[in-house]
Amino acid sequence: MLKTIACGELRSNHVGKTVTLAGWVHKRRDHGGLIFIDLRDSRGLVQVVFNPERSPQAHQVAENFRSEWVVLVEGEVALRPAGTLNPHMPTGDVEVYASRAEVLNPSKTPPFDISEDGQVDELLRMQYRYLDLRTARMHDNLVLRHRVVKYIRDFLDARGFIEIETPILIKSTPEGARDYLVPSRIYPGSFYALPQSPQQLKQLLMVAGYEKYFQIARCFRDEDLRGDRQPEHTQLDLEMSFVNEEDVLGLIEELFTDIVEKVASNRKLVKPFARLRYDDVMARYGTDKPDLRFGLELADLTEVAKATESHVLRQAVDGGGIVKGFAAPGCGGYSRRQVDELTAFAQTRGARGLITISLEGEGTSLDSLGMDQVRSTLARFLTLEQVKQIAQRTKAKPGDLILIVAGPAKVANTALSQLRNEIGQRLKLTDPTQMVFAFVTDFPLFAWNEETKAWEPEHHLFTAPAEEHWPLLETDPGSMRARHYDLVCNGMELASGSIRNHNREKQERIMRFLGYTSEQIEDRFGQLLGALEYGAPPHGGIAPGIDRFLYLLSDHADSIRDVIAFPKTQNAVDPLFHTPAPVTPEHLRELHIRIEE
Ligand code: ASP
């Protein structure tokens, strides 16, 4: 190598040694006669001193050094003079006295400062990703990613799993998103689909007798992007044969606990992970991915609402809706403007409006509450007794603000769950150093889609229902429960998985119920159904999202993009390669594709 040691590796035991270093000029300070630079390589920084008396050649070369130039320096490692030690730098006890220097490659002035952790526009960072990745924070994120993935591989290897790659050019595997398609040049009009996940492939591997499979797998989903989504993401895809739910969950709990405690060690963990039923989390948090770092649980107020004189409340209930709410502790003094802000927040999340009740008299007891301490647009329609009932159910005390949404269950739950997160953040209840995991179980097998007026799988169509629920398929499909489980953490869904249908006939029943014709079933799933007829073992699996998990683990990630080396923007664009991009007419012709405006 051009260098004898990495910059970041130098310590006091190297004092007296002559070393050759190579790296980037991180910072340069000219102190009259002496020039100091922080020299950076992938292992860290070290201070180099250029003294014209010691080496006129090195000093002269260093005079030209600018930020991000690539340079080579030879010199002697010395202890820093007393009083100049830097305890914040791993190499802070030493410095290198340069005896020779050479410029390996100069650099244009970077569009942002790599040595400072300042706020830089993300688009600019992505346009110059190769510079952004030089920053300490991005470097740390990628190193963390490497460590976590390596830990996963070693952990699973030690438990008898084997990693098997599956193809990227494949056929549609539905996970609820659109497919990315790749046209075939050889077969005009035919397309490959990029896998939304290796779901069918891992099930085929179970049929093939690989009882413990995993893969660090890339998944491609053409869907409307949200903050925590990317067109392609990485999963730990995993499948096991001869297992029940607890086998999968137990393994995942151990793995995630280990990673947080042994690899990251900057996070507090609540052990053991909670196991929560879907109905219960929906009731208490209005979402199947609750942030469990704080309480603020929702309470059902439908019964109280029915008895009030409020038109708004009664109308919602009469229309088949529900009334739910929760208390924001200490927010009873919110101004009109603050309340309006929360109302607008709820409305943009689909609620028709937000009903608020502020209870004045912080520090006093609920028993002594009088109607003169109640501020609410609904005050005229509520008796003191009803206000107290609402307060009791939401666990509100004087000094709190009760937030209530009335409407169809889905609307009320969606708005309230997001309001709950918003209040949790405002009240600083979302400690980022804490990770509170939970498994959510007993999901419904199907969800009703209002737009298409059809049932769709809540997870995916390979998920098995609870065995005793099969008879409900004809009579009451909405109440069928699935052998589906999710892992959630801090308000994010980190993994989904299930025990699968390993019997062809049962799997086909689900497909037919979902409206697939025999031809569609054969065309799309023939390969899997065929395999299920050749001794398919009972099997199940899960697929934790690596990007999301790393985002939660990292101290330096503002979004999942910060834990991915080359992510896409929220508009699914890569600003470095400028993709997606048009291709030449020849290329299209070769693929038998014509673009219609
Ligand atoms: N294939 C599923 C997904 O990508 C996970 C699983 O069921 O294992 O969400």
Side-chain angles (χ1 to χ4, degrees):
M1 286 193 76
L2 300 185
K3 49 174 142 186
T4 55
I5 189 164
C7 300
E9 281 172 358
L10 291 174
R11 298 288 182 277
S12 49
N13 60 326
H14 297 108
V15 167
K17 290 223 163 70
T18 299
V19 294
T20 309
L21 305 174
W24 288 263
V25 176
H26 190 66
K27 271 201 169 137
R28 174 178 175 281
R29 297 176 296 278
D30 210 328
H31 287 192
L34 296 180
I35 296 173
F36 292 86
I37 67 163
D38 285 341
L39 188 63
R40 184 189 76 235
D41 64 14
S42 65
R43 303 305 302 276
L45 296 170
V46 71
Q47 175 162 289
V48 183
V49 188
F50 298 84
N51 183 336
E53 279 159 23
R54 218 181 151 97
S55 167
Q57 183 277 339
H59 185 266
Q60 203 181 6
V61 174
E63 275 192 322
N64 294 321
F65 283 179
R66 294 292 175 268
S67 288
E68 300 308 310
W69 283 32
V70 184
V71 302
L72 185 134
V73 177
E74 221 174 82
E76 190 187 318
V77 184
L79 266 189
R80 290 198 191 190
T84 67
L85 272 59
N86 183 348
H88 304 298
M89 261 169 112
T91 63
D93 288 353
V94 297
E95 56 194 4
V96 175
Y97 292 134
S99 52
R100 192 177 81 79
E102 190 185 326
V103 175
L104 297 178
N105 211 349
S107 166
K108 285 165 75 172
T109 305
F112 48 85
D113 191 346
I114 286 154
S115 65
E116 298 287 335
D117 193 10
Q119 276 299 323
V120 181
D121 173 54
E122 198 186 11
L123 194 61
L124 190 67
R125 287 174 49 206
M126 286 173 71
Q127 273 162 352
Y128 291 92
R129 197 60 164 182
Y130 46 88
L131 298 180
D132 186 39
L133 293 177
R134 287 183 187 173
T135 60
R137 78 187 263 263
M138 290 304 289
H139 186 265
D140 287 354
N141 284 345
L142 293 192
V143 171
L144 177 68
R145 187 173 183 118
H146 162 75
R147 298 242 173 282
V148 167
V149 170
K150 178 172 182 329
Y151 192 90
I152 292 173
R153 288 199 156 109
D154 293 344
F155 177 98
L156 292 173
D157 174 71
R159 284 158 186 78
F161 282 79
I162 67 167
E163 183 165 17
I164 303 176
E165 289 171 80
T166 55
I168 296 296
L169 294 178
I170 183 79
K171 199 170 181 175
S172 179
T173 287
E175 292 281 357
R178 288 190 196 86
D179 291 321
Y180 280 103
L181 296 177
V182 180
S184 159
R185 177 181 57 80
I186 307 173
Y187 300 97
S190 287
F191 293 81
Y192 301 96
L194 305 185
Q196 289 183 34
S197 83
Q199 183 63 37
Q200 293 189 65
L201 296 150
K202 66 175 169 176
Q203 292 192 239
L204 293 177
L205 288 169
M206 293 304 109
V207 181
Y210 296 87
E211 292 174 38
K212 290 179 174 183
Y213 143 91
F214 83 99
Q215 179 181 193
I216 303 298
R218 203 63 73 79
C219 301
F220 305 86
R221 299 182 188 181
D222 186 1
E223 58 192 341
D224 297 332
L225 299 181
R226 283 187 248 136
D228 57 355
R229 297 227 162 131
Q230 283 276 303
E232 53 185 301
H233 71 272
T234 307
Q235 286 184 343
L236 159 60
D237 194 46
L238 184 147
E239 197 77 7
M240 304 162 79
S241 290
F242 308 110
V243 288
N244 280 320
E245 286 86 333
E246 267 313 309
D247 301 304
V248 179
L249 301 189
L251 177 89
I252 292 295
E253 176 163 356
E254 195 189 335
L255 172 62
F256 277 70
T257 303
D258 268 19
I259 295 175
V260 173
E261 290 183 344
K262 297 186 185 153
V263 187
S265 66
N266 54 345
R267 294 282 181 269
K268 290 180 285 265
L269 197 68
V270 177
K271 287 194 288 190
F273 296 1
R275 303 267 205 279
L276 304 168
R277 298 186 63 250
Y278 173 86
D279 287 344
D280 200 31
V281 285
M282 289 307 287
R284 287 161 63 190
Y285 307 102
T287 170
D288 57 7
K289 31 182 171 295
D291 191 333
L292 299 167
R293 285 173 295 180
F294 56 94
L296 310 186
E297 289 190 21
L298 311 184
D300 193 330
L301 306 171
T302 313
E303 284 308 311
V304 191
K306 270 190 206 163
T308 68
E309 297 292 315
S310 160
H311 192 61
V312 181
L313 294 184
R314 298 204 11 205
Q315 212 179 21
V317 179
D318 292 343
I322 57 165
V323 179
K324 269 173 103 166
F326 69 98
C331 299
Y334 262 27
S335 67
R336 186 58 204 260
R337 222 197 61 221
Q338 285 172 304
V339 171
D340 287 348
E341 251 172 48
L342 291 180
T343 306
F345 180 95
Q347 283 169 334
T348 54
R349 272 79 182 167
R352 281 197 44 197
L354 178 68
I355 297 155
T356 57
I357 303 176
S358 345
L359 305 180
E360 289 169 358
E362 184 151 12
T364 62
S365 86
L366 189 60
D367 292 337
S368 62
L369 188 82
M371 218 45 204
D372 55 328
Q373 291 168 288
V374 177
R375 278 193 297 126
S376 171
T377 43
L378 282 195
R380 281 189 294 143
F381 308 109
L382 300 174
T383 63
L384 181 60
E385 198 39 47
Q386 286 165 342
V387 172
K388 284 187 178 174
Q389 280 174 11
I390 293 174
Q392 271 154 2
R393 287 183 188 224
T394 55
K395 301 202 169 63
K397 302 177 306 305
D400 295 353
L401 176 69
I402 306 173
L403 304 171
I404 299 172
V405 176
K410 199 167 171 188
V411 172
N413 277 329
T414 305
L416 282 168
S417 66
Q418 298 194 40
L419 265 174
R420 178 181 168 270
N421 285 342
E422 172 70 15
I423 297 290
Q425 265 164 25
R426 285 187 186 205
L427 298 182
K428 304 212 167 18
L429 303 174
T430 51
D431 176 359
T433 66
Q434 236 195 351
M435 289 180 88
V436 185
F437 290 92
F439 289 112
V440 180
T441 61
D442 298 276
F443 277 81
L445 185 61
F446 302 117
W448 180 253
N449 184 328
E450 248 327 302
E451 274 163 40
T452 57
K453 302 271 179 243
W455 291 107
E456 34 187 55
E458 171 78 33
H459 181 211
H460 51 51
L461 47 69
F462 310 107
T463 297
E467 196 54 38
E468 66 278 15
H469 285 188
W470 275 107
L472 295 171
L473 189 61
E474 274 78 40
T475 54
D476 186 9
S479 63
M480 287 177 86
R481 297 290 121 173
R483 300 184 70 183
H484 159 191
Y485 32 77
D486 274 2
L487 175 65
V488 299
C489 180
N490 296 8
M492 275 195 161
E493 177 190 311
L494 276 193
S496 271
S498 59
I499 303 298
R500 330 293 185 185
N501 295 302
H502 65 278
N503 168 290
R504 171 170 187 144
E505 191 233 330
K506 285 180 169 163
Q507 179 61 78
E508 256 192 278
R509 267 180 81 188
I510 300 277
M511 289 170 176
R512 273 199 300 276
F513 171 79
L514 291 169
Y516 289 96
T517 63
S518 300
E519 281 106 74
Q520 284 171 330
I521 291 176
E522 205 38 54
D523 175 50
R524 294 205 179 170
F525 308 113
Q527 61 287 338
L528 179 66
L529 293 172
L532 295 185
E533 292 181 289
Y534 287 94
H539 60 281
I542 193 165
I546 303 271
D547 308 312
R548 287 186 188 174
F549 179 44
L550 279 156
Y551 161 71
L552 291 179
L553 272 188
S554 165
D555 286 332
H556 324 278
D558 295 332
S559 78
I560 60 167
R561 296 182 292 283
D562 283 346
V563 296
I564 301 172
F566 297 100
K568 309 272 186 294
T569 64
Q570 264 175 297
N571 302 323
V573 164
D574 177 343
L576 174 58
F577 280 80
H578 304 289
T579 41
V583 296
T584 62
E586 297 78 62
H587 202 160
L588 284 175
R589 217 171 300 126
E590 239 174 30
L591 294 169
H592 322 282
I593 287 181
R594 195 169 42 236
I595 305 290
E596 283 184 3
E597 289 303 325

